[in-house]
Amino acid sequence: MATFDLNGDGYNLTLYSGENLALNAITGVNLLTIYVNGGSIADNNGAANNVTAVSFIFSATNGVGSGNALETAVSNINGENNTSGDIYISNTGDLYIVGSGVYNGGGDIDISVASSLYIIETSIYSFAEADGDGGQTAQATSGDVTLSADGNIILLGDAYVYSRAVAYNAETVTATSGDVSLDAGGYID
């Protein structure tokens, strides 16, 4: 497992890893992009911030803050987790979900914000798909999506929050979608 603790001094920073990545504190970065192919992005410093940046983009295969949320102080975020595990993010300050949004391939998504959350013309979603290949069974289960903000939750333009499961091409198909929960100290619009 690789661990990181660094100051980006206002620059853009891109990290690539083929194994689990444990974050201590990455600070002072304009744009932080993390790609973990074959592993997870994990919190390695307790309740302290893991990422302090203007924007944070992530891609992992086995979870992001799964089991112990990544603490962030960022303005913009988008990312994905493709295979297993959950996405847990706890952000200080307003947070804008932009670009490709936040996607999890079947696991839970939990994003909490200590201010307001803005979802701008993008989606936050958990999606699971199972192709039975003509066999006996196909089963797909997507995770729960939980968004909470001390302030407001605002969806602008074509913005969506959902959990969806699809199963097909088998004698018996089961598709179970997770729950979607939005909780705001202010209003939801």
Side-chain angles (χ1 to χ4, degrees):
M1 176 180 296
T3 61
F4 280 92
D5 191 356
L6 58 92
N7 185 322
D9 199 27
Y11 291 99
N12 295 341
L13 177 65
T14 302
L15 302 174
Y16 296 92
S17 179
E19 61 181 327
N20 293 332
L21 181 65
L23 297 181
N24 289 328
I26 298 177
T27 61
V29 177
N30 181 45
L31 169 62
L32 174 63
T33 306
I34 299 177
Y35 299 101
V36 178
N37 186 12
S40 64
I41 303 170
D43 179 346
N44 197 46
N45 68 353
N49 278 347
N50 301 106
V51 176
T52 302
V54 174
S55 298
F56 178 35
I57 299 171
F58 61 84
S59 178
T61 53
N62 297 328
V64 177
S66 191
N68 184 8
L70 288 185
E71 291 84 22
T72 61
V74 301
S75 297
N76 307 299
I77 196 167
N78 71 67
E80 63 185 11
N81 181 59
N82 291 306
T83 305
S84 65
D86 301 322
I87 297 173
Y88 278 81
I89 305 281
S90 177
N91 193 72
T92 301
D94 288 348
L95 181 62
Y96 293 80
I97 308 296
V98 295
S100 59
V102 176
Y103 159 76
N104 197 0
D108 294 340
I109 298 173
D110 188 301
I111 299 174
S112 62
V113 179
S115 193
S116 291
L117 175 64
Y118 299 87
I119 305 160
I120 302 174
E121 300 210 4
T122 192
S123 298
I124 299 174
Y125 64 104
S126 177
F127 179 76
E129 180 178 19
D131 180 352
D133 291 324
Q136 292 285 69
T137 61
Q139 181 174 347
T141 303
S142 62
D144 295 335
V145 178
T146 304
L147 306 178
S148 59
D150 290 348
N152 305 316
I153 298 177
I154 309 293
L155 287 82
L156 298 170
D158 290 331
Y160 303 96
V161 178
Y162 62 93
S163 179
R164 181 174 178 208
V166 177
Y168 53 90
N169 198 17
E171 288 184 33
T172 304
V173 295
T174 305
T176 306
S177 296
D179 294 328
V180 174
S181 171
L182 282 70
D183 181 27
Y187 59 88
I188 299 172
D189 186 18

